[in-house]
Amino acid sequence: MAEEEEEESEFSEDESELQDNIYSSPRSGSGPRICKMLEKWVPRASHYFDKEHYCYAGHRIVIQESIDSFGAVVWPGALALCQYLESEQEEINLKGKKVLEIGAGTGLVAIVASILGAFVTATDLPEVLENLEFNISKNTRDIDVPKPEVRKLVWGKNLNEDFPRSTHHYDFVVATDVVYHHTALDLLLATISYLCQPGTVLIWANKFRFSTDYDFLDKISNMFNVTHLAEFPESNVKLFKGTVRKLGSE
Ligand SMILES: C[S@@+](CC[C@H](N)C(=O)[O-])C[C@H]1O[C@@H](n2cnc3c(N)ncnc32)[C@H](O)[C@@H]1O
């Protein structure tokens, strides 16, 4: 109960900042008050929009969302993977493992993975990192779990410099709902290929909507030995794991 009160007061600071923006706008004058507010209000990468509560692995997780970017809301692939990681810890045992998440978004998966004992590096586009860092820090700082690291990783950019393969070997590369209607699918594939070395397990959960999603699965299947781990019919999410194909293997 005490914890809840402390938490509410932290979020309400953000809320009162938003209220300040609304109520500091003039109440009289020519235009309607709401227009004055919109003129004055400047969106920021992680402006507070809403918060969602989740419970995984015995922990209550509060995620701050924003409407400013695709990466600032929780997608169905993230929910499906969290549910799977929580319930199938024998199939995917993250304890003590090095995990790199690409397109980490709000950080929900990274938080759950760290609660399950993984050493997580959560990555995304620069504009998403502020909200990602906020959620990760808020949800892991007071519990005894390995603290996830947050880093910029733009698909296909500076991978050799920022994530050299000689020193950055991951047990798992995790991605949820990174395949959707965007133009960076080839860069995404190249990035996954770069980050997954022999011994790395790719965990990919995605809502399947478009034929391009199946094309991407075909390309992944050419590069990895893929196992279909689970299907979530209510959300159309499919979950796969893959290991790098050895040269010359079928
Ligand atoms: C649909 S959201 C999914 C977010 C999160 N994984 C989830 O399931 O809730 C796609 C994520 O990929 C990230 N992303 C998109 N294009 C990217 C790029 N070129 N490089 C790195 N991240 C990218 C977005 O910022 C966003 O966080």
Side-chain angles (χ1 to χ4, degrees), residues 61 63 71 74 101 104-113 122 131-132 135-136 148:
I61 300 166
I63 294 293
V74 175
E101 185 178 11
T106 63
L108 179 62
V109 170
I111 292 161
V112 171
N131 199 48
L132 176 59
N135 282 327
I136 285 182

Side-chain angles (χ1 to χ4, degrees), residues 180-199:
Y180 54 104
H181 201 59
H182 61 72
T183 54
L185 289 177
D186 288 343
L187 290 172
L188 171 62
L189 192 68
T191 301
I192 290 173
S193 167
Y194 174 88
L195 294 168
C196 291
Q197 303 194 44

Side-chain angles (χ1 to χ4, degrees), residues 4-20:
E4 264 186 36
E5 276 163 12
E6 195 227 309
E7 196 170 75
E8 286 304 322
S9 68
E10 176 157 338
F11 274 109
S12 66
E13 264 178 34
D14 292 340
E15 275 167 1
S16 67
E17 195 185 311
L18 183 62
Q19 293 297 315
D20 285 342

Side-chain angles (χ1 to χ4, degrees), residues 69-71 73-78 101-106 124-125 128 153-155 176-178 180 182 184:
S69 110
F70 281 157
V73 290
V74 175
W75 286 60
E101 185 178 11
I102 57 171
T106 63
D124 210 306
L125 295 169
V128 177
L153 191 163
V154 182
W155 301 333
T176 65
D177 275 327
V178 288
Y180 54 104
H182 61 72

